[in-house]
Amino acid sequence: MLEHDALNATREAYDAAAPTYARLFRDTLRDSPLDRAILGVFAEVVRASGNSQVADLGCGPGHITAHLDELGLAAFGVDASPSMIELARQAHPDLRFDVGSMAALDIADGALGGVLSRWSVIHTPPRELPVILAEFHRVLAPGGHLLIGFSASDGPSQPTQVFDHTVAPAYRWWPDHLAAMLRESGLGEVARMVREPQPTDRRQFQEVHLLARKAWAGAA
């Protein structure tokens, strides 16, 4: 199937790029106060839910998983790339990292207080994204939160756009369109952060974080 081929190609590309990726991105939060802020908000609302279990899906070399751990969450990482997971385990031996697919997570229903998906859905073909979002909903406990990050498309007339990602084919999303897809999956938007590109950025895309919550059982 095309989707299976796309997943395999993405996994193989990240396996090949893993050492370079880890070197380039391990310190990105240091110079990103807005990213630290939204991750801090995510950690606070997850802790307030009473369930601090969080999956960092598409965790790469594990630096964000480690940051979530520092923020007081019981965080673990999942990535499709075995090479990324090996680097994460080496860098953070006290944390849990698993090889896995976001489309079929080895996580029990309703087990998590939070899911972080930080630019991990960008390689998902648009027609397959509802499957991923359904998995996010399934593993979250009622009242649990999802924080999803992605690059914005150029406008509402272009709900998705392909862009020239260095590692593998990737997609941008119009924020309102993705927020509507979250609602259809049972995840209601709570807040969003939109960051404008800097003049020195190679890609002049808005970067978006959407914070969404799974409804409590019985809620309208």
Side-chain angles (χ1 to χ4, degrees):
M1 293 177 63
L2 176 61
E3 292 79 8
H4 184 70
D5 290 344
L7 176 60
N8 283 340
T10 300
R11 179 188 298 116
E12 291 171 2
Y14 274 99
D15 276 344
T20 300
Y21 186 98
R23 185 176 66 254
L24 290 175
F25 292 99
R26 63 189 173 193
D27 295 326
T28 52
L29 286 181
R30 181 184 58 195
D31 300 319
S32 302
L34 290 177
D35 284 11
R36 294 197 305 271
I38 194 64
L39 289 169
V41 169
F42 173 67
E44 185 172 343
V45 296
V46 170
R47 291 195 307 267
S49 75
N51 180 351
S52 64
Q53 293 287 325
V54 170
D56 178 8
L57 302 181
C59 66
H63 55 298
I64 302 299
T65 316
H67 184 71
L68 296 178
D69 176 73
E70 293 170 358
L71 292 175
L73 300 176
F76 65 96
V78 179
D79 201 282
S81 164
S83 294
M84 287 289 194
I85 291 298
E86 181 59 29
L87 289 173
R89 289 170 176 168
Q90 291 173 8
H92 310 287
D94 295 334
L95 299 180
R96 170 187 161 194
F97 294 97
D98 300 325
V99 177
S101 167
M102 292 187 296
L105 293 165
D106 187 17
I107 300 171
D109 295 359
L112 303 179
V115 166
L116 177 65
S117 172
R118 184 179 164 84
W119 276 264
S120 60
V121 300
I122 64 171
H123 302 296
T124 302
R127 64 181 172 276
E128 288 298 298
L129 188 58
V131 174
I132 304 293
L133 300 183
E135 274 293 271
F136 293 172
H137 180 272
R138 179 186 69 78
V139 300
L140 279 170
H145 286 79
L146 164 70
L147 181 63
I148 185 168
F150 56 97
S151 295
S153 65
D154 290 337
S157 64
Q158 296 175 300
T160 64
Q161 286 178 277
V162 177
F163 71 96
D164 60 339
H165 191 277
T166 305
V167 179
Y171 304 88
R172 297 190 281 151
W173 300 84
W174 185 244
D176 290 345
H177 179 71
L178 189 46
M181 295 182 71
L182 290 173
R183 286 195 300 273
E184 291 168 3
S185 299
L187 299 164
E189 181 181 353
V190 174
R192 69 176 65 180
M193 183 182 80
V194 180
R195 183 173 59 196
E196 296 296 330
Q198 298 300 307
T200 55
D201 290 347
R202 184 167 71 89
R203 297 189 183 95
Q204 292 294 296
F205 304 156
Q206 289 180 327
E207 294 186 350
V208 183
H209 286 85
L210 294 179
L211 182 66
R213 180 173 54 211
K214 180 175 176 177
W216 292 98

